[in-house]
Amino acid sequence: MSWRKTIILALALLVFAMGYWWFEIHLKTKHLRTEIEKTRLLENVYRIKRFRIETRSGSVEVAQDSITKRWNVIFPVFYPTDNDEVQNVLRAALGVRYTDVIADSGNPSDYGFAPSPWVKFSAEGKTFYLGDETPTHNGVYAQIDGDSRILLVDKQFRTDLLKLPFDLRDKSILPEIDVANLDTVKIIRPLGKITITRKGFRWWLTSPIIAMASNKIVDDMLDKLISAKAFDFPAENYADSTIKKLKAKIYARIIFYMSDSAEYSMNIYISDSMNDTMPEFVYASTNVKNPLFEISEDIYNLIRTPAELLRERRLFRVGDADRFVITGPNDFKFECKFRDGNWFLIYPDSGKANNSEISKMLDRFDALFVDSFVNDSN
């Protein structure tokens, strides 16, 4: 076979392959995508910049700022959103599609669309409704505005879209604070003020006592305080009159001093309970956000932590030691030094030591912890 025939044959095969791909794969795939697209309740909508959800318990409207691209609740109150929750709603709204047509039309009340649907979702000029669950629990009824058909969709979509204003609001009480950028934290409370200050890579208690603090315990406590979430918004704007109406009183004040000189504060309020052991409600306000927040009683318990529980309780950190001396009664002395990968006796004898036994002994020292602090002056 000449090279010309070989090239012609190769071109013919290439044309055949391209034709096969175009007609058998590309067009069929395109047709399949078109058919799937037709089942989406928000057909031909690929991006949402604003949406409204109406439920039997309330309505919420959310929009994306055209400049900052941040999402905000704009009804019934203007407030930043919980971005994760908004993204979940967007995924559900853009992904919801019907799997079956139950009827060409029907009485809306028979399917949970009237007098009001479980969910009425509107975005980009389109609206759909989600109603009751089917008797066989294989989905929920749906209807597209302007389309009389009764449709079936996965019931998970109703769960994902059944949202109230609280669900979509940012529930953080403080702004994002990096614990690594904290210099000092003060907790002012009836049990006595606690001041924690960073010195290098360590936390230190500077009141009510001066003592090394446990980095792990302090970091954990601060992380819980900073990441505290609202259970509710009793008032959109904090005011003393609101606290009085709630029959609450201030219990503590927490001040966060940042390394860049920024300062954040959080006031904790409590309402008395019937048994006087735990408050009935715990509230918080901050210097950076307007609302009064209802928060978990765990925060109340956290700020009641005794100062001694924040202290470093590990007596020794000898894992990296390269020399140690043990002394005792009757002029007892034992000394070892680590060099060239081995422990060596220095006193009372000299020579190579048993590495395994020395390591076990140092591990025992490392494992010693303080049970309680009997006298801080001694």
Side-chain angles (χ1 to χ4, degrees), residues 98-200:
Y98 64 87
T99 55
D100 197 6
V101 178
I102 302 299
D104 290 331
S105 63
N107 185 346
S109 61
D110 292 341
Y111 300 97
F113 302 135
S116 60
W118 283 71
V119 174
K120 177 183 177 182
F121 187 92
S122 304
E124 308 303 319
K126 296 194 174 186
T127 298
F128 64 79
Y129 311 97
L130 300 180
D132 291 339
E133 189 173 345
T134 66
T136 56
H137 308 291
N138 65 333
V140 297
Y141 299 115
Q143 192 173 50
I144 301 171
D145 191 48
D147 186 340
S148 63
R149 294 178 302 166
I150 308 299
L151 311 170
L152 180 70
V153 303
D154 191 303
K155 59 185 176 182
Q156 183 61 45
F157 288 115
R158 191 181 71 177
T159 301
D160 294 339
L161 295 173
L162 189 63
K163 301 296 180 183
L164 296 173
F166 175 80
D167 299 320
L168 299 183
R169 290 181 68 166
D170 175 20
K171 289 170 271 297
S172 62
I173 296 169
L174 289 164
E176 290 186 10
I177 297 176
D178 188 346
V179 174
N181 293 329
L182 272 170
D183 267 355
T184 299
V185 178
K186 292 181 180 178
I187 303 176
I188 304 165
R189 58 189 191 162
L191 298 174
K193 182 175 77 173
I194 290 179
T195 303
I196 310 164
T197 302
R198 188 188 298 279
K199 296 181 181 180

Side-chain angles (χ1 to χ4, degrees), residues 25-62:
I25 299 177
H26 174 74
L27 291 182
K28 286 185 177 180
T29 301
K30 186 177 180 181
H31 175 73
L32 180 60
R33 288 176 179 171
T34 301
E35 292 302 308
I36 292 175
E37 179 64 28
K38 288 180 180 179
T39 65
R40 288 180 59 230
L41 301 194
L42 291 180
E43 185 180 356
N44 296 323
V45 174
Y46 304 103
R47 185 178 180 186
I48 296 174
K49 297 180 181 179
R50 181 171 180 157
F51 64 85
R52 182 180 178 89
I53 298 175
E54 298 176 41
T55 73
R56 295 173 178 178
S57 301
S59 303
V60 59
E61 192 165 351
V62 176

